[in-house]
């Protein structure tokens, strides 16, 4: 059965919220070329159906959050392992680094277990700490905070305060979304933690496979500026590539079957 005009419009609303998970009524009305009253009625219907969450003046897509860490670990494994190997070469001479949470950073931690150099790692991610604990050359500082068992990391005021006590040459973190506007995160707590890590490091490497391209999640944690580097497994599309170059951000490509490239 063909979709009704109303159903088609509501599917377009959901698609718009997938591209920009937090949109105001006025933005949706302009995008779909309908009245604000029509959008409000549609949002109420979608909210009642559990497909979105209404906010003051707009809506948030109900399915914008990422799958749990355990599920993500089984996705894009080969690409993430290649990214992890490239990231190993980006530590440089740093003796202390931040490592965030997430699936790709956990692959990075697994690769880092083989290092023979002495290194201090500060991390909010307990699974990252557990992986690195197998290497006696790595000293691990687990940051304090409120623990999220599904993501295996801590967040909150205590975590932010601890991060701001330190300054490291290099930080490594994942991302829920990567687009021309910058790097975004689906969860508020981790987004604050990763933003603090960027502020307290000289260089930040964002480890994100191509499945994160052209996705914007709930909150931006950084734009493309000098000191921000994208480490990924495929060349970005033209718009993102131009933003990287315009902001003097870095790009490091980790092709699975080819030698890595950088600018």
């Amino acid at each position: 059965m063909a979709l009704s005009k109303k159903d088609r419009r509501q599917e377009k609303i959901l698609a718009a919220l997938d591209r920009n998970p937090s949109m105001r009524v006025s933005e949706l009305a302009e995008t779909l070329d309908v009245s604000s009253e029509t959008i409000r009625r549609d949002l109420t219907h979608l909210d009642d159906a559990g497909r979105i969450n209404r906010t003051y003046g707009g809506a948030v897509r109900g399915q914008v959050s990422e799958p749990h860490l355990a599920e993500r670990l089984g996705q894009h494994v080969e690409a993430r392992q290649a990214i992890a190997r490239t990231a190993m070469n980006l530590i440089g001479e740093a003796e202390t680094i931040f490592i965030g949470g997430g699936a790709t950073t956990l692959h990075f931690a697994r690769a880092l277990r083989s290092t023979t150099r002495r290194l201090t790692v500060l991390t909010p991610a307990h699974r990252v700490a557990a992986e690195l604990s197998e290497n006696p050359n790595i000293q691990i500082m687990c940051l304090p905070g409120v623990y999220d068992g599904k993501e295996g990391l801590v967040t909150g005021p205590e975590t932010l305060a601890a991060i701001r006590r330190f300054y490291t040459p290099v930080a490594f973190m994942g991302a829920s979304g990567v687009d021309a506007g910058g790097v975004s995160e689906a969860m508020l707590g981790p987004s604050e933690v990763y933003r603090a890590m960027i502020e307290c490091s000289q260089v930040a490497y964002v480890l994100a496979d191509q499945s994160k391209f052209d996705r914007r999640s709930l909150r931006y944690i950084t734009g493309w500026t000098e000191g921000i580097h994208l480490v990924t497994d495929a060349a970005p599309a033209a718009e993102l590539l131009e933003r990287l170059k315009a902001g003097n951000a870095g790009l490091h490509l980790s092709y699975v079957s080819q030698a890595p490239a950088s600018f």
Side-chain angles (χ1 to χ4, degrees), residues 1-15 32 38 42 45-46 49 51:
M1 180 182 297
L3 293 175
S4 67
K5 182 178 180 181
K6 176 182 176 181
D7 289 337
R8 291 197 300 273
R9 186 175 63 248
Q10 291 182 0
E11 289 300 321
K12 290 179 181 179
I13 289 174
L14 294 174
L32 275 69
T38 298
D42 285 337
H45 182 272
L46 292 168
R51 303 185 73 184

Side-chain angles (χ1 to χ4, degrees), residues 56-85:
Y56 180 77
V60 174
R61 180 73 154 102
Q63 300 175 347
V64 295
S65 59
E66 290 191 308
H68 294 161
L69 177 61
E71 181 179 345
R72 301 199 307 273
L73 282 173
Q75 300 171 345
H76 314 293
V77 172
E78 191 174 9
R80 288 170 173 172
Q81 289 174 340
I83 290 170
R85 291 192 295 270

Side-chain angles (χ1 to χ4, degrees), residues 57-195:
V60 174
R61 180 73 154 102
Q63 300 175 347
V64 295
S65 59
E66 290 191 308
H68 294 161
L69 177 61
E71 181 179 345
R72 301 199 307 273
L73 282 173
Q75 300 171 345
H76 314 293
V77 172
E78 191 174 9
R80 288 170 173 172
Q81 289 174 340
I83 290 170
R85 291 192 295 270
T86 297
M88 284 279 290
N89 297 322
L90 300 174
I91 298 174
E93 299 301 316
E95 297 179 352
T96 304
I97 63 175
F98 282 120
I99 301 180
T104 309
T105 51
L106 188 54
H107 282 293
F108 173 53
R110 290 171 177 171
L112 194 55
R113 287 183 310 192
S114 65
T115 188
T116 57
R117 58 181 293 184
R118 298 194 65 82
L119 193 65
T120 298
V121 174
L122 292 80
T123 183
H126 287 198
R127 292 195 63 172
V128 167
E131 290 286 345
L132 297 177
S133 67
E134 299 182 16
N135 187 330
N137 292 316
I138 301 177
Q139 177 177 274
I140 306 155
M141 180 176 290
C142 292
L143 299 172
V146 179
Y147 183 67
D148 180 345
K150 294 176 181 178
E151 286 299 310
L153 81 167
V154 294
T155 62
E158 293 85 0
T159 314
L160 301 180
I163 291 172
R164 289 167 180 151
R165 290 174 51 203
F166 301 97
Y167 186 85
T168 70
V170 184
F172 296 90
M173 65 197 66
S176 299
V178 172
D179 65 5
V183 181
S184 55
E185 169 58 44
M187 296 170 286
L188 288 176
S191 73
E192 294 174 346
V193 169
Y194 301 153
R195 183 175 293 182

